[in-house]
Amino acid sequence: MIETNFWILFLAGLLGGGHCVGMCGGIVAALTLHQPPGYARWRVLAGYNLGRVASYALIGALLGGLAAGGLSLASTHAWQLGLAALADLMLIAMGLYLAGFAQAVVALEKLGQPVWRRVQPLVGRLLPVRSAGGAVAVGAVWGWLPCGLVYSASISALASGSAWNGAGMMLAFGLGTLPNLLLMGVFADGLRRWMQKRPVRLAAGLGVAGIGAWKLAQLVSGTIS
């Protein structure tokens, strides 16, 4: 099931591209469009995404490590099943949000604002970006931006019960978000407008919700049997 979850989280990141473009697309465009003449934009774009995905993997390792350290006071198996079910429900909620059917995820993302307010000033000290290394640093900070899709993947990492598996799950999720944000750095507003079209949002949102529903059905079926 761990290997399956890697692929599921990759697909969730890929299909959730509309949300990624909406939250991080402006950041990516600003980083890549305002560079000195002759500077290779792809270096900044690659550095930003490397830092962002590395932060996701770190989050997964920390959460998985905490779980492995024995945070559960109850049955470990029951605790993991509960977290897995919660992660699936969050994927469903996130999919419905992407499709335009629900807004509960927005309220959830606000829960991370206090932490983000403490982290965000670091970005100001790293701007303007003048090197690939600077872009990696900015991306690493921006990886902590409150995001419902990241929260869903993070709960799966926590449920993994292992720092290694948690890091792998968040890495898979981060790699899934790469295509959309890499294209955003090249096509900027054109991609953003396309991703915000109703049919595209509907298809992507229902895809994410479908992944969550399928995982939840498998979990329930396995528990009953």
Side-chain angles (χ1 to χ4, degrees):
M1 285 302 296
I2 292 295
E3 290 79 6
T4 302
N5 282 333
F6 289 159
W7 285 107
I8 286 173
L9 288 174
F10 175 85
L11 287 174
L14 183 64
L15 292 174
H19 190 61
C20 296
V21 168
M23 291 197 71
C24 299
I27 303 166
V28 174
L31 287 174
T32 55
L33 292 176
H34 298 90
Q35 296 302 314
Y39 190 82
R41 257 199 278 171
W42 67 267
R43 293 181 182 175
V44 172
L45 186 61
Y48 168 79
N49 282 287
L50 176 62
R52 182 177 60 84
V53 174
S55 280
Y56 292 164
L58 175 60
I59 291 170
L62 290 174
L63 292 175
L66 285 173
L71 287 183
S72 173
L73 299 178
S75 167
T76 300
H77 182 62
W79 177 77
Q80 286 184 307
L81 286 177
L83 283 175
L86 178 59
D88 297 339
L89 290 171
M90 284 192 65
L91 274 179
I92 294 172
M94 190 68 206
L96 294 177
Y97 166 72
L98 290 172
F101 294 137
Q103 297 293 319
V105 171
V106 176
L108 180 64
E109 288 177 348
K110 290 180 180 178
L111 296 177
Q113 288 297 331
V115 175
W116 177 242
R117 279 195 293 268
R118 293 180 177 274
V119 175
Q120 190 176 17
L122 294 175
V123 178
R125 300 173 191 171
L126 297 170
L127 296 176
V129 174
R130 289 290 182 263
S131 67
V136 171
V138 171
V141 175
W142 235 286
W144 299 84
L145 181 72
C147 170
L149 203 57
V150 174
Y151 292 166
S152 300
S154 296
I155 294 176
S156 294
L158 182 62
S160 74
S162 158
W164 181 254
N165 287 333
M169 286 182 177
M170 291 301 289
L171 177 62
F173 165 77
L175 292 176
T177 67
L178 275 181
N180 292 292
L181 288 178
L182 288 174
L183 288 173
M184 181 64 201
V186 177
F187 298 107
D189 289 340
L191 178 65
R192 183 181 298 182
R193 286 194 298 269
W194 185 80
M195 294 293 292
Q196 294 304 314
K197 288 183 177 180
R198 177 62 178 166
V200 176
R201 288 196 63 186
L202 184 63
L206 292 179
V208 173
I211 289 173
W214 176 71
K215 281 189 63 189
L216 186 61
Q218 279 198 322
L219 182 67
V220 172
S221 175
T223 303
I224 293 176
S225 61

